[in-house]
Amino acid sequence: MMLSRIIFCTAVLLATLAVILLALFSPLPKRKPSPPWLDLSLYIQQPHNNNNSIAGSNNAGKQPQPDSSGGAFIFHRMLTEGPENTSRVVGKAQGFIIPVEHFANSGFNIIYLTFHTPQYSGSLSVEAKHVSRQGTEELTVMGGTGSFAFARGVAVFAQTTDQDDQQPPSGNGVDYATYHVKLQLRFPNQSRTVLG
């Protein structure tokens, strides 16, 4: 009887010691790496051919401004690598925005950035729900297609202040403002393939 108690206590002691040693010396589980980030810096400019239009307006090419009557505006701009109007065009920026409070959460208030380069081919959807008409706007990237499939992140829009980067006023009310866009994108997995 005494021998069985000694064997039982020794077995419990060895099992406890094995659990403690395994907890101390086993390798740590590999942490899943954080999603990869992609930072892009681009510029949105007036197209050279002035094909822009504003809903309900005859002022083609004029920078859209919301009015108190609740009008919407549509815009079509070039997406370039630099602020100069001679910079390489990498895509386009298009949007349809209803800048009225009760439409603030509308699914229409989206800016689409479409890319056509050897490195990136696809588009991003930027949510424009809380546009405050300040010098810098921080908007949310809600998703994408192609090279930007399932992308999420932040898009910071800022109007450039360097007058040398803008075309001279034409006298017809056309706004040639250039906007600097900084994109910080994350993707759901690291096995993202960039299509060319």
Side-chain angles (χ1 to χ4, degrees):
M1 179 121 154
M2 183 63 116
L3 183 60
S4 63
R5 286 184 181 174
I6 292 174
I7 294 174
F8 176 75
C9 288
T10 304
V12 169
L13 180 66
L14 288 175
T16 305
L17 184 61
V19 169
I20 292 172
L21 290 176
L22 282 174
L24 290 176
F25 296 109
S26 66
L28 294 175
K30 291 183 179 178
R31 293 187 123 179
K32 185 177 180 180
S34 62
W37 285 89
L38 175 65
D39 292 328
L40 296 172
S41 181
L42 304 162
Y43 292 84
I44 297 176
Q45 302 184 35
Q46 178 77 19
H48 300 299
N49 57 5
N50 291 335
N51 283 338
N52 295 347
S53 63
I54 300 172
S57 173
N58 294 329
N59 298 328
K62 188 174 182 180
Q63 177 67 26
Q65 294 294 326
D67 57 47
S68 59
S69 67
F73 59 85
I74 300 169
F75 64 91
H76 177 80
R77 301 281 191 263
M78 295 184 313
L79 200 55
T80 63
E81 287 183 336
E84 300 82 21
N85 63 0
T86 57
S87 295
R88 184 170 78 109
V89 175
V90 295
K92 59 187 174 181
Q94 297 175 307
F96 178 85
I97 297 177
I98 303 171
V100 179
E101 282 186 41
H102 60 276
F103 283 107
N105 293 320
S106 170
F108 290 114
N109 293 336
I110 300 288
I111 298 170
Y112 296 100
L113 304 176
T114 307
F115 296 82
H116 301 290
T117 67
Q119 188 176 9
Y120 301 112
S121 177
S123 65
L124 288 169
S125 298
V126 179
E127 184 178 53
K129 288 185 179 179
H130 304 288
V131 177
S132 61
R133 306 281 180 246
Q134 297 176 356
T136 301
E137 298 286 346
E138 186 172 308
L139 306 175
T140 305
V141 175
M142 298 303 296
T145 63
S147 300
F148 304 101
F150 306 108
R152 299 283 187 186
V154 175
V156 179
F157 287 75
Q159 186 171 351
T160 59
T161 56
D162 187 0
Q163 294 299 319
D164 295 334
D165 291 341
Q166 299 177 9
Q167 296 177 7
S170 63
N172 63 0
V174 176
D175 181 4
Y176 291 103
T178 299
Y179 295 89
H180 185 205
V181 181
K182 292 182 184 178
L183 296 167
Q184 293 179 328
L185 307 172
R186 71 183 189 287
F187 298 89
N189 61 29
Q190 282 192 309
S191 62
R192 179 175 71 89
T193 303
V194 176
L195 303 173

